[in-house]
Amino acid sequence: MKYLQWLSLLCGLVGFALLVAGLALYSVPVALVVAGVLLMAYAWRIDRAVAAGQRLVANETKG
């Protein structure tokens, strides 16, 4: 991975952790629900990025 990709991943994880920790100070069940929803959204985003990368590699091998 490139430097900016690592930096983006790190900032995303830190932001996610801070958001959930802040919500946990208010209400632990709300924090757990938000954490679950955000993890599902993040997994969906990663899945789309991997699929796009596989399509890119497939197109490069054809041409």
Side-chain angles (χ1 to χ4, degrees):
M1 290 181 100
K2 296 180 182 177
Y3 172 73
L4 289 178
Q5 289 174 326
W6 281 109
L7 185 62
S8 174
L9 177 66
L10 180 66
C11 288
L13 291 175
V14 169
F16 175 78
L18 289 173
L19 176 67
V20 171
L23 283 171
L25 292 174
Y26 176 71
S27 172
V28 174
V30 170
L32 292 175
V33 169
V34 169
V37 169
L38 289 177
L39 283 174
M40 289 181 359
Y42 199 68
W44 176 74
R45 181 178 174 203
I46 290 173
D47 187 48
R48 286 191 51 166
V50 168
Q54 289 175 348
R55 282 194 307 268
L56 183 63
V57 169
N59 287 339
E60 288 177 355
T61 58
K62 287 181 183 178

